[in-house]
Amino acid sequence: MYNKGLYHNWVPKPIQLLFIVLLLAVVMPLGGVYTGNISFVVSGTGAMTEYFMWANYATTIGMGACMPIVLRMKMRFKVRDKMTVLLVLLGLLSYLNSTTYDPMIFVFSSLIIGFLKMMVTIELFLPLMAMIGNRGMFYGAFYTFVLVLNQVSAYYAAEISIQYNWQHFYVIMSVLCFVLALLHWVFMHNQYFALKVPLHYIDWLSILLFISTFMFSAYVFSFGKQQDWLNSENIIHAGIAAFISFALLVTRQMTLKRPYLSFRIFSKNNVQHGLFMLLCLGMFLGTTSLQNTFAVGVLGYDQLTNARLNLLMIPGLVLAGGLAIFWFKKEIPLKMYIFSGFSAMMGYAIIMYFSMVLEFSYDLWYLPMFLKGFGMGSLFISVWFYTLDKLEMDDMLAAIGLILVWRTFLVVGLFSAVYSWFQYRFQVVAIGDLAVYMDGLTVSPQNVASNLKSIQLNAIIIATKKIFGYIILAGIGVLIYIFTHHFGKERFEYARFVKILSGKSALARKRLRERKRLLEEIKDAAGPAA
């Protein structure tokens, strides 16, 4: 027998919805590392920060690697057996992270956690989409819930790490996974979703090539600054390995009867423009590293206060989600909604550009973080919807892994690495410029030494402000692009309309001239007869 639901029929519908929400609340923020307590894990393990940045990217890579095969995995196993095993494995991996001090274990466990949690997430997509009905409204509610949840989990990861230690949060997440596994063993039905399909059609070599491509790329983005980019043999070798892996991955897809990935949808106009808009979104999301440098390095915020800043994005995220539900319900074209999202990101960048001062107070964060939350929420929803709009299910699932990795890892990692490199270069230049005003006859060495911290902080501010200035200039181009893009409507529609009208007018004038000439001929012929 088949059952497209998740729970036994005797479980009340409100209780089923409660279990789905609990699953989302636990599984979606689950990862190998949490942005709120990375600094505590670094100090506790004695490892470099770059390892945990790599682990953070690995979670997204694991999710992208699993995406093309989630439906086949869903139909292969019974729902209760699969969900219980997945939740137990996620709990064990989280507990493993709480007991280890080896950073490479964090990296590989994060990769596996991302792979497994995507299988859990797909089980929640289908019933939620069936409840809501409209795909756009579903994105509006789902992404709002997930983005808000990520900010809250990052904050509590920092708070628990301060009150106890960094291992406690991993233990809490592990216990929650075990509790959910027990609950779902009791309340979930033990039937198949649809026709049972075999697993031997899955090309595991393609999955390994996919993972190796982006894990080597993540290593380059994470360790590039620490190893001085192309001056490091490790960075060069990792870059070459990523390129070769991707070439082999593409070549293998051309020889398979059932390819793991499909590149066919990348020829579609909306997918190409959607990927470009996700690239532009990554340009703004990459400023998180600049914001953290300013908040922690310049203003001297502790990790809990810095995590609390992200909570200020929640009102903007909620507003973006509510507006998206209204927008899709009324079936309003996406153009102005996407434009408002990028405008909010531009507003955030402009405020940060003019706010780079040592006297920046905490109250001044409310408006820029609200704008950032609204921009991030609206663009996550609308650009993702536009990119995948009107795609067949098979093609979408076969390529959505690449798009997911592109949106969450590649563009954000690329811009974060670029900003980090430019910030260092601009900071060196700024110190050189400030040194011009240090005259040994007017400024004693003792005064320079006492003001060295202020000089360094001002150099960081100058470098950060310069990067935000370039982002604003690029953002103006992005707004022009969004405003002039057709978003699926017929281009040159007005020109065609005018041409048709002018054509009709010319035809009418021609017929009028013919009638006048015919009338004149009749008059001429009638004149002599008269």
Side-chain angles (χ1 to χ4, degrees):
M1 294 180 63
Y2 305 133
N3 191 333
K4 297 185 183 301
L6 291 179
Y7 301 95
H8 289 293
N9 294 328
W10 51 265
V11 180
K13 298 297 183 183
I15 302 299
Q16 294 186 24
L17 182 60
L18 176 62
F19 282 146
I20 292 176
V21 172
L22 288 176
L23 268 176
L24 285 174
V26 174
V27 174
M28 292 311 299
L30 191 67
V33 294
Y34 303 92
T35 55
N37 70 345
I38 285 182
S39 61
F40 301 100
V41 179
V42 169
S43 61
T45 59
M48 293 187 296
T49 307
E50 287 76 11
Y51 281 106
F52 302 100
M53 292 174 57
W54 192 15
N56 190 35
Y57 292 144
T59 303
T60 303
I61 295 170
M63 294 174 66
C66 181
M67 196 65 209
I69 64 171
V70 285
L71 276 185
R72 184 167 291 275
M73 299 295 292
K74 177 178 176 58
M75 292 187 289
R76 173 60 181 82
F77 302 102
K78 294 181 178 180
V79 175
R80 187 181 69 181
D81 296 342
K82 186 178 71 172
M83 288 291 289
T84 304
V85 171
L86 289 175
L87 288 171
V88 169
L89 289 176
L90 289 172
L92 290 175
L93 288 171
S94 185
Y95 180 76
L96 173 66
N97 288 337
S98 70
T99 59
T100 185
Y101 292 92
D102 188 346
M104 289 306 299
I105 292 181
F106 282 93
V107 174
F108 287 108
S109 68
S110 299
L111 178 67
I112 300 172
I113 285 174
F115 194 90
L116 296 179
K117 86 176 201 175
M118 181 52 72
M119 296 184 195
V120 177
T121 304
I122 196 64
E123 296 289 349
L124 310 178
F125 276 178
L126 298 179
L128 287 176
M129 288 190 70
M131 292 178 195
I132 298 175
N134 186 300
R135 188 165 65 93
M137 294 173 63
F138 166 73
Y139 285 159
F142 177 77
Y143 274 117
T144 301
F145 181 79
V146 171
L147 291 174
V148 169
L149 198 62
N150 286 338
Q151 314 312 317
V152 174
S153 64
Y155 172 77
Y156 279 107
E159 185 176 21
I160 292 174
S161 299
I162 291 174
Q163 292 183 355
Y164 303 100
N165 55 47
W166 63 269
Q167 291 99 334
H168 271 69
F169 192 76
Y170 289 96
V171 174
I172 292 173
M173 297 302 291
S174 177
V175 171
L176 289 175
C177 287
F178 293 146
V179 171
L180 284 177
L182 180 60
L183 288 175
H184 284 76
W185 178 260
V186 175
F187 292 101
M188 265 191 169
H189 66 73
N190 195 29
Q191 298 173 3
Y192 288 101
F193 171 78
L195 181 66
K196 183 179 177 181
V197 296
L199 293 181
H200 61 264
Y201 290 136
I202 297 176
D203 186 53
W204 297 102
L205 180 58
S206 293
I207 296 178
L208 291 177
L209 290 173
F210 182 97
I211 292 173
S212 64
T213 297
F214 294 109
M215 286 299 288
F216 282 122
S217 302
Y219 178 86
V220 173
F221 292 153
S222 301
F223 288 87
K225 179 181 177 181
Q226 186 262 339
Q227 299 187 17
D228 197 14
W229 298 103
L230 296 180
N231 291 322
S232 168
E233 291 185 359
N234 292 334
I235 297 297
I236 295 174
H237 293 162
I240 294 174
F243 178 78
I244 294 175
S245 298
F246 185 71
L248 292 174
L249 176 65
V250 174
T251 304
R252 182 162 180 80
Q253 304 317 300
M254 297 177 180
T255 62
L256 290 175
K257 182 179 179 180
R258 297 178 180 87
Y260 166 71
L261 294 176
S262 173
F263 300 97
R264 182 168 50 187
I265 69 168
F266 294 103
S267 61
K268 295 183 179 296
N269 184 268
N270 65 304
V271 176
Q272 293 173 356
H273 286 279
L275 291 176
F276 177 74
M277 284 185 275
L278 291 175
L279 177 68
C280 299
L281 174 60
M283 177 183 70
F284 289 105
L285 294 181
T287 59
T288 301
S289 60
L290 302 177
Q291 176 188 310
N292 291 336
T293 300
F294 178 63
V296 178
V298 177
L299 301 180
Y301 291 170
D302 57 24
Q303 293 300 322
L304 186 61
T305 305
N306 188 44
R308 193 178 292 119
L309 288 180
N310 292 327
L311 296 180
L312 300 180
M313 292 194 295
I314 292 180
L317 291 169
V318 173
L319 177 61
L323 188 60
I325 294 173
F326 171 80
W327 212 273
F328 287 108
K329 184 177 181 179
K330 298 296 183 180
E331 297 183 352
I332 306 174
L334 279 176
K335 182 173 185 175
M336 295 312 298
Y337 184 63
I338 295 178
F339 186 83
S340 68
F342 279 110
S343 299
M345 283 297 192
M346 272 288 289
Y348 163 76
I350 292 172
I351 293 175
M352 293 306 298
Y353 176 82
F354 288 105
S355 300
M356 288 289 166
V357 291
L358 292 173
E359 296 79 16
F360 192 85
S361 65
Y362 189 86
D363 295 338
L364 298 177
W365 283 105
Y366 288 105
L367 180 58
M369 298 307 292
F370 173 82
L371 292 175
K372 183 180 180 182
F374 179 83
M376 182 170 68
S378 59
L379 294 176
F380 260 73
I381 297 166
S382 57
V383 176
W384 189 256
F385 178 88
Y386 173 71
T387 305
L388 302 179
D389 191 25
K390 298 177 182 178
L391 296 179
E392 297 294 334
M393 180 61 71
D394 293 339
D395 292 338
M396 183 176 67
L397 287 177
I400 198 173
L402 281 173
I403 300 176
L404 176 66
V405 171
W406 171 264
R407 181 197 68 181
T408 312
F409 155 59
L410 273 179
V411 294
V412 177
L414 173 64
F415 280 105
S416 297
V418 169
Y419 293 158
S420 178
W421 187 84
F422 274 109
Q423 190 173 38
Y424 174 74
R425 297 298 176 184
F426 290 160
Q427 188 175 339
V428 172
V429 173
I431 291 178
D433 294 338
L434 291 172
V436 174
Y437 299 96
M438 297 180 190
D439 190 343
L441 298 177
T442 58
V443 180
S444 64
Q446 292 79 8
N447 289 334
V448 172
S450 61
N451 293 321
L452 188 60
K453 180 180 179 181
S454 178
I455 295 170
Q456 184 70 24
L457 294 180
N458 279 282
I460 296 175
I461 289 176
I462 293 170
T464 307
K465 177 173 285 195
K466 189 178 292 187
I467 296 174
F468 269 111
Y470 285 119
I471 293 173
I472 292 169
L473 293 177
I476 294 173
V478 173
L479 291 180
I480 294 174
Y481 159 75
I482 297 296
F483 192 75
T484 57
H485 183 51
H486 56 85
F487 284 96
K489 287 189 175 182
E490 290 290 338
R491 289 173 290 183
F492 313 117
E493 185 177 353
Y494 178 76
R496 289 199 193 104
F497 184 66
V498 171
K499 185 176 180 181
I500 291 172
L501 286 180
S502 62
K504 288 183 178 179
S505 301
L507 180 61
R509 288 194 297 269
K510 181 179 179 181
R511 290 178 177 176
L512 184 60
R513 286 195 299 269
E514 290 176 353
R515 289 176 182 177
K516 287 182 178 180
R517 186 171 63 252
L518 180 61
L519 182 59
E520 289 175 355
E521 291 176 356
I522 293 174
K523 287 182 178 179
D524 291 340

